Amino acid sequence: MELFKTIAFTHKTTDLKDIGRLHIDDEELEARLSHLKSAMGIDELLYVSTCNRVEFMMVSEEEVDEPFRRKFFTAFNPEWSPKEIEWATHHSRTFEAERSLRHLYYVSSSVDSLVVGEREIITQVREAYEKCQKLGLTGDRFRLLIRSAIETAKQVYTQTQIAQNPVSVVSLAYRKMREVELAK
């Protein structure tokens, strides 16, 4: 458990328009992530990229402190300027050990989503794992963890009412607008 680490960019830390800076096109995925894994001495690497988040989940003995993140983002995109590396270093959230595992469960269950209760994230996490597994970036630790996270997310969706009324900023604003109009 202590070896699991996460570097996350989400709607909570980063403007959505900037999250795209961290997206890797499919044709570059293998080369970029294999280089990153090798350069950083990471045992396993899982890359999740959606429209409102990018997550680098890893198995590593290294502490994910500021110097590690600087080196990580330099390896992630060697063409980035020092200013872009500083941006990434300071706009990421990091999770280690139990907090990293808990974060994955929250993400998979959409508790940490921009739209709480949306079901798409569980598919996105599973597909990201399958891609990284096919590229040889993950191993048994992530295989077991992802299986558990997906099973837990399914339980959350079926045993709670989280997915019955997905809540987004837009839906809340619309409800408030309707209340104001009805009160007139």
Side-chain angles (χ1 to χ4, degrees):
M1 176 169 54
E2 298 299 316
L3 300 178
F4 284 99
K5 318 291 170 87
T6 303
I7 299 174
F9 294 85
T10 71
H11 60 280
K12 294 178 182 179
T13 62
T14 310
D15 287 337
L16 292 179
K17 64 180 174 53
D18 289 329
I19 288 177
R21 297 164 69 179
L22 299 151
H23 177 73
I24 304 172
D25 292 329
D26 283 343
E27 53 275 356
E28 296 179 32
L29 199 62
E30 183 174 12
R32 298 238 345 242
L33 293 179
S34 294
H35 169 74
L36 181 60
K37 181 181 174 190
S38 175
M40 297 304 297
I42 295 170
D43 295 332
E44 296 185 39
L45 178 62
L46 176 61
Y47 172 78
V48 178
S49 179
T50 72
C51 61
N52 61 28
R53 79 175 51 251
V54 169
E55 307 261 346
F56 298 92
M57 300 174 200
M58 63 197 89
V59 174
S60 175
E61 292 186 17
E62 298 295 321
E63 181 183 347
V64 185
D65 56 10
E66 194 169 306
F68 177 93
R69 291 193 316 273
R70 275 194 189 94
K71 184 178 174 187
F72 183 92
F73 293 117
T74 300
F76 169 73
N77 192 339
E79 295 178 12
W80 271 3
S81 70
K83 184 177 179 181
E84 290 169 305
I85 292 166
E86 285 303 307
W87 169 84
T89 300
H90 294 293
H91 281 84
S92 58
R93 292 176 64 196
T94 60
F95 305 93
E96 298 195 42
E98 184 180 334
R99 289 184 66 228
S100 179
L101 300 177
R102 185 173 288 133
H103 176 72
L104 174 61
Y105 283 86
Y106 288 166
V107 168
S108 300
S109 301
S110 87
V111 174
D112 190 58
S113 291
L114 185 60
V115 180
V116 175
E118 58 90 10
R119 291 178 175 258
E120 189 175 353
I121 190 66
I122 193 172
T123 301
Q124 292 168 324
V125 168
R126 189 188 75 246
E127 288 174 352
Y129 165 74
E130 289 170 355
K131 275 184 187 178
C132 289
Q133 188 269 331
K134 284 179 185 173
L135 297 175
L137 299 169
T138 63
D140 284 338
R141 290 181 181 121
F142 269 115
R143 180 181 57 79
L144 296 171
L145 178 60
I146 293 298
R147 180 187 305 162
S148 175
I150 289 172
E151 288 173 6
T152 301
K154 286 178 182 177
Q155 284 182 311
V156 168
Y157 292 124
T158 59
Q159 295 178 7
T160 71
Q161 296 181 356
I162 193 171
Q164 287 184 349
N165 293 307
V167 179
S168 68
V169 174
V170 173
S171 68
L172 293 174
Y174 176 76
R175 288 181 198 166
K176 188 64 175 173
M177 215 170 62
R178 296 273 306 159
E179 286 175 17
V180 170
E181 285 189 14
L182 293 174
K184 288 182 180 180

